[in-house]
Amino acid sequence: MSLATARTPRPGTDPRPRPRPHSRSGVPVSQVPRAAVWAAYAIPLCALPSGLWRIALVAGWPDWYAPHAWQPWERPYVLSLSLVAECLALLSLALVKPWGERVPGWVPRLGGRAVPAGVAVVPAATGAFLATAFCAYVVLNHFFAFVPPLNDTGETFPTSGPGAWALWICYAPLLAWGPLLAYLTRAYWLRRRAATTGAARTTTPA
């Protein structure tokens, strides 16, 4: 009789190891690090304040832009910027959700198929670069005035009053969008590569 004793499982628990979840195509759904999940949810929150500020701008709250004579197309354009920016920010969730690794089952003809890593990595990496470059340009433009003033008073941005405080507080989180997305893209790529390598080793005959 062996001296080694087996551990007694707790009541109500299954002692058998849990299998890794798989998609319909057999591609394993990789485990997502907690830091990547936090980064994915932080990106939409970074974009939200600037969208709310643009909505307030259209509503006429910031005293800085109140005298501006709006053209018929300008208000819908400014509001659409908030909508598009938030939708793009929400797409970062694809890098931590199962539908970022396999097509959802309700999609006709493609449901359950594995999403090639490059299909997610290339747009995400491009977005990270553009977000970082845009934020850097906006900050530099504030100091060096590369483009003409944006309002009718000759000032590029409000420099005092509630409008100035609201502008900087709401737009400052956008500085984190690019770096967070770059980290998230790298984590996704490494995770998918590790999952593909592990699956290949499992299927390779000895």
Side-chain angles (χ1 to χ4, degrees):
M1 183 176 181
S2 175
L3 296 178
T5 58
R7 294 184 179 180
T8 303
R10 296 181 180 179
T13 60
D14 189 352
R16 295 172 299 178
R18 296 180 179 179
R20 288 183 73 179
H22 284 66
S23 67
R24 295 180 183 176
S25 60
V27 179
V29 179
S30 54
Q31 301 298 324
V32 182
R34 181 173 298 181
V37 176
W38 281 100
Y41 280 98
I43 291 175
L45 295 178
C46 290
L48 182 60
S50 60
L52 295 177
W53 188 88
R54 283 189 291 269
I55 293 175
L57 185 71
V58 171
W61 175 71
D63 55 354
W64 157 65
Y65 218 60
H68 177 70
W70 290 89
Q71 299 295 325
W73 58 270
E74 287 182 320
R75 293 179 189 271
Y77 170 73
V78 174
L79 293 176
S80 65
L81 286 179
S82 298
L83 180 61
V84 171
E86 196 62 30
C87 289
L88 290 175
L90 288 171
L91 284 177
S92 62
L93 296 176
L95 301 176
V96 297
K97 294 294 184 179
W99 49 272
E101 299 187 24
R102 66 179 185 271
V103 181
W106 51 265
V107 178
R109 302 181 62 179
L110 297 176
R113 293 189 179 184
V115 176
V119 172
V121 169
V122 173
T126 304
F129 170 77
L130 293 177
T132 303
F134 174 76
C135 290
Y137 173 78
V138 170
V139 173
L140 293 175
N141 182 66
H142 176 65
F143 294 102
F144 298 102
F146 298 135
V147 297
L150 300 179
N151 60 2
D152 301 332
T153 63
E155 294 182 359
T156 307
F157 291 104
T159 56
S160 62
W165 285 104
L167 174 69
W168 289 110
I169 292 174
C170 292
Y171 272 81
L174 288 179
L175 297 174
W177 187 344
L180 284 175
L181 186 55
Y183 161 75
L184 195 59
T185 304
R186 182 177 182 274
Y188 176 87
W189 168 253
L190 294 176
R191 193 171 71 251
R192 292 295 305 275
R193 186 177 64 176
T196 303
T197 303
R201 290 178 179 176
T202 303
T203 56
T204 301

